[in-house]
Amino acid sequence: MSKPRIALLGLGIMGAGMARRLLGGGFPLTVWNRNPAKSAVLAAEGAQAAATPREAAAGAEIIISMVADDAASRGVWLGANGALAGAAKGVVLIESSTLTVSWIMELAQAVAAHGSEFLDAPVTGSRIHAAGGELNFLVGGPAAALERARPALVVMSRSITHLGPVGSGAMIKLINNFVCGTQIAALAEALALIERSGLDRAQALAVLTEGAPGSPLVKTIAARMTAPDYTPNFLLRLMAKDLGYAIQEGGRRQLPLLTATAALGLFQQAVALGHGEKDMSAVVEPLRKK
Ligand code: NAP
């Protein structure tokens, strides 16, 4: 049986890796990216490049979006040249970007009115996991839609967790990332304090990374902060976005996320000082003695 055509919208750090996994898995693939230079690279590797999301969606049975934020997702799906305008009825639309639950619910309604199926399926894992097909999909939406999408998701992932109805994937993803953001912010302050304290930095950091606070994330980010190596794996400004979205969702449920709010302050300070396009580990830089 021939594999369904996939449209992938957004070829950033994550989308580019996902596109290559789909091509490697033998799926016919159409890609679109706002900056067409990135689509041209994938076209040279066997994908079809489309001029608009609408054109990419035409003829696809599964349409996946992997873009920066709510505003980008809105334009990609619902804009005049958006994917929904080009999609056939009855296809499966998947939003894999990290977005607010509020926007996901609005988008799900638009997709239902169109007569297609919708999944929110954000991911954990970063650049290397996207490139290596080792992402973890966190899925919300109908089980039947997930089964239709599963063969495509499998080639991009090491796990697929179905959390419940539409919005469940987006919710757990924001919770996951606000815990990551607070850990990174705490580590940044800890490292800055170590550097100002006269302690041996490597020895002091090893106490943290090899002890109770040494989560896989803390270990990875501590290495990047000390190198320092801010080659983007996850852009600092996108972590600020995720913390803001988590705070927004907490607020809607009368739960002020105080730790996320403190962490967001550090990330915003780093953005204001020009570190937004670097890896999120650069959040330590404004705290360092110059
Ligand atoms: P990225 O490298 O910055 O790529 C962002 C993508 O969104 C690019 O394709 C960009 O297009 C597109 N975009 C931005 N604004 C747009 C707009 N207004 N209209 C249309 N397209 C727009 O980011 P990424 O790391 O791939 O992240 C993509 C999503 O995955 C984000 O929601 C992020 O939070 C999430 N995520 C990232 C990671 C990670 O470790 N990197 C892990 C899990 C989830 P251009 O190329 O034209 O700028």
Side-chain angles (χ1 to χ4, degrees), residues 11 13-14 33-35 38 66-68 98 125-126 233 241:
L11 300 170
I13 289 174
M14 300 299 283
N33 193 68
R34 179 179 60 175
N35 171 355
K38 293 183 189 169
M66 193 56 165
V67 294
T98 305
S126 195
N233 283 277
K241 178 256 308 182

Side-chain angles (χ1 to χ4, degrees), residues 4 23 27 41 50 59 62 70 82 97 130 138 144 146 175 187 201 272 285:
L23 283 175
F27 287 91
V41 173
I62 297 171
D70 281 7
S97 324
L138 307 170
L146 174 55
I175 294 167
L187 175 66
R201 187 174 78 171
E285 281 307 310

